Amino acid sequence: MSYDLIVIGTGPGGYVCAIRAAQLGLKVAVVEKRGTHGGTCLNVGCIPSKALLYASELFEEAGHKFADLGIGVGKPKLDLATMQAFKDKGVDGNVKGVEFLLKKNKIDAYMGAGKILAPGKVEVTLNADGKVEVLETKNIVIATGSDVAPLPGVEIDEKRIVSSTGALALGKVPGKLLVIGAGVIGLELGSVWRRLGAEVTVVEYLDRILPGMDSDVAKSFQRILDKQGFSFKLGTKVTGVDSSGKTLKVSVEPAAGGDAETVEADVVLVAIGRVAYTGGLGLNEVGVATDQRGRVVTDAHYATNVPGIYAIGDVIAGPMLAHKAEDEGVALAELLAGKAGHVNYDVIPGVVYTFPEVASVGKTEDEVKASGVAYKVGKFPFTANGRTKVNNTTDGFVKVIADAATDKVLGAHIIGPEAGEMIHECAVLMEFGGSSEDLARTCHAHPTRSEAVKEAAMAVEKRAIHM
């Protein structure tokens, strides 16, 4: 078979790249070694975690917040098996949706492990029967995503010592859950099991949570999580886990050196990050360059050093986010079709789907300060927002950072309910080079949480009305 494009991997980057290329008239095939399309995100990542976050949030609301609203329901009873089935149903629907879209766009799907034999040649070992097929193509896109970063000395068994995959499929609520890593994945999954009854301790090597996010936001968010019942051991490293007994014995010690201690847990979640997945692709044999972190090296147009071979998503540099991979997939497909594909890396939002949510777009205050650019900051707390006050969801704030000379918005950060939805008006504004005054003078409906975004923009010039 001969194609214009073969995409290896059908996660968000890969399947979106394939669909956009097909829309533009290219003959496209995809290769996927998993039994289903959608990659980590749809199968064991973004989608199932959001199902459990949603269900566990409602469970906690019913048990702790309904009474204050005059709703008497008694103590809710957890049916974890049904909750997991709810999650699995949602995953199945999304996965089948991708399969439908590939068929709709007349994209050939080969379910098996792909290996690049040479520029223009991809070998596929089919899952169904082990048969090997060699496909020919003008262009190859590596979209194989990422895998769980291992922690030396801690062996994941996906039963008691779990990665995010195992943490999404626990059969019972652990009495004590120890999370290694205070990043997005650790805090989201820690939130799920804390709401359902687990005692959650988070161990983080750095002296703060959410590395890479605005430090002002991280400090405030940690205080909120403390109130919710999280326990944190910051500036601390895990040196080993003894799984020989009924409970896990986790050895921890100060990252800067000092006396070790043992913490007991029923389940340990290893969530220290992810690494690019390039195993078995034949990259070394073909001569595709990778960097010191194992990521595929590409130029500004996603081309590797080998003509006709490209890469996108988690497997290349940049934030490991599904929507970043999707945009890269669209941009590359358009470039291959002779159009002007482009991704603005200065305006890629990031969201932590806890409650409240944390959302960010653009530069953090730490980054702006380090750059030496003169800047102004406007902040507005949800305690002063009419909608959140009447809904009793006042934790958090909106923060807008603008260039002091031009007033161009450089970054926006939100902690609050539905922050992940609200951040997008800031993203649109920044995409068009907008100023804080543009945002401040845009009429916002009342009463909405989004009014806090307007007020934060007004606060840049110290003219917020409601505080």
Side-chain angles (χ1 to χ4, degrees):
M1 275 296 222
S2 183
Y3 295 94
D4 295 313
L5 173 65
I6 291 177
V7 181
I8 305 176
T10 58
Y15 84 74
V16 167
C17 181
I19 289 171
R20 183 66 183 122
Q23 288 176 342
L24 292 167
L26 277 63
K27 182 174 174 57
V28 183
V30 294
V31 178
E32 174 55 61
K33 74 171 188 175
R34 193 188 295 269
T36 53
H37 298 296
T40 295
C41 181
L42 268 66
N43 288 274
V44 290
C46 335
I47 294 298
S49 64
K50 301 313 161 286
L52 290 184
L53 281 159
Y54 174 67
S56 64
E57 187 180 325
L58 293 182
F59 178 81
E60 184 170 62
E61 282 191 12
H64 301 284
K65 299 178 183 179
F66 278 11
D68 291 341
L69 306 178
I71 305 171
V73 295
K75 185 177 179 180
K77 181 181 177 184
L78 176 64
D79 182 346
L80 185 57
T82 299
M83 189 178 288
Q84 290 285 17
F86 162 76
K87 173 205 72 180
D88 293 341
K89 182 180 178 182
V91 169
D92 185 59
N94 277 276
V95 166
K96 285 179 178 174
V98 174
E99 183 180 1
F100 165 77
L101 290 172
L102 292 173
K103 289 178 179 176
K104 174 187 172 185
N105 286 280
K106 298 179 173 55
I107 296 166
D108 293 337
Y110 295 85
M111 308 306 285
K115 180 178 180 180
I116 302 172
L117 299 179
K121 285 195 175 182
V122 176
E123 176 187 272
V124 184
T125 304
L126 298 173
N127 293 341
D129 54 13
K131 181 182 174 184
V132 175
E133 290 195 31
V134 176
L135 312 175
E136 294 190 358
T137 181
K138 294 175 185 173
N139 301 289
I140 299 169
V141 175
I142 301 164
T144 45
S146 59
D147 202 356
V148 174
L151 180 62
V154 178
E155 187 173 343
I156 293 172
D157 60 18
E158 299 296 16
K159 291 175 183 164
R160 290 201 296 167
I161 304 175
V162 299
S163 69
S164 54
T165 301
L168 288 166
L170 295 177
K172 67 177 182 178
V173 179
K176 293 183 178 181
L177 171 66
L178 186 138
V179 180
I180 307 175
V184 175
I185 295 171
L187 296 182
E188 286 187 358
L189 293 176
S191 289
V192 167
W193 296 108
R194 185 204 59 76
R195 292 170 188 162
L196 299 180
E199 182 182 312
V200 179
T201 300
V202 181
V203 179
E204 169 57 48
Y205 185 84
L206 300 178
D207 61 358
R208 54 163 291 177
I209 69 170
L210 293 180
M213 280 207 164
D214 189 273
S215 58
D216 183 22
V217 169
K219 286 175 187 173
S220 179
F221 188 50
Q222 186 182 337
R223 288 194 291 269
I224 293 169
L225 293 178
D226 282 333
K227 282 196 304 181
Q228 292 180 0
F230 274 77
S231 175
F232 289 95
K233 289 181 177 292
L234 304 180
T236 304
K237 62 182 177 181
V238 172
T239 57
V241 179
D242 180 358
S243 59
S244 60
K246 279 190 72 175
T247 61
L248 300 169
K249 292 179 173 57
V250 185
S251 300
V252 301
E253 61 184 56
D259 295 336
E261 65 172 309
T262 299
V263 180
E264 291 195 353
D266 299 297
V267 174
V268 170
L269 165 60
V270 180
I272 61 170
R274 297 184 66 83
V275 292
Y277 185 85
T278 56
L281 292 175
L283 302 190
N284 289 337
E285 295 89 330
V286 180
V288 172
T290 56
D291 65 15
Q292 69 276 11
R293 293 172 61 179
R295 300 173 300 190
V296 178
V297 176
T298 61
D299 66 13
H301 288 167
Y302 313 105
T304 70
N305 60 308
V306 178
I309 301 179
Y310 303 83
I312 58 170
D314 285 6
V315 83
I316 68 172
M320 290 184 170
L321 297 169
H323 43 284
K324 175 257 197 186
E326 289 184 6
D327 278 12
E328 288 176 341
V330 169
L332 177 53
E334 291 174 348
L335 289 166
L336 292 174
K339 296 184 177 293
H342 173 70
V343 176
N344 182 358
Y345 289 98
D346 291 329
V347 188
I348 294 182
V351 183
V352 188
Y353 295 93
T354 47
F355 189 90
E357 291 182 347
V358 182
S360 173
V361 65
K363 296 187 183 302
T364 65
E365 185 176 353
D366 315 73
E367 290 170 334
V368 176
K369 188 181 294 184
S371 73
V373 172
Y375 67 95
K376 297 177 289 185
V377 173
K379 286 179 69 175
F380 190 83
F382 280 110
T383 51
N385 174 264
R387 178 68 179 274
T388 56
K389 284 173 79 170
V390 78
N391 289 169
N392 199 24
T393 54
T394 54
D395 281 334
F397 58 85
V398 179
K399 177 177 181 177
V400 174
I401 306 166
D403 187 297
T406 67
D407 196 35
K408 180 180 179 180
V409 173
L410 305 174
H413 309 274
I414 307 174
I415 306 176
E418 298 183 359
E421 305 294 338
M422 286 191 289
I423 198 66
H424 292 104
E425 69 167 301
C426 299
V428 172
L429 177 94
M430 291 171 64
E431 188 65 41
F432 287 91
S435 66
S436 73
E437 184 175 1
D438 292 328
L439 193 52
R441 292 191 180 276
T442 300
C443 189
H444 285 61
H446 174 78
T448 62
R449 300 178 181 93
S450 294
E451 286 178 285
V453 178
K454 175 187 172 85
E455 292 265 14
M458 294 170 73
V460 170
E461 295 295 341
K462 297 182 170 46
R463 60 188 183 93
I465 300 296
H466 291 93
M467 71 169 185

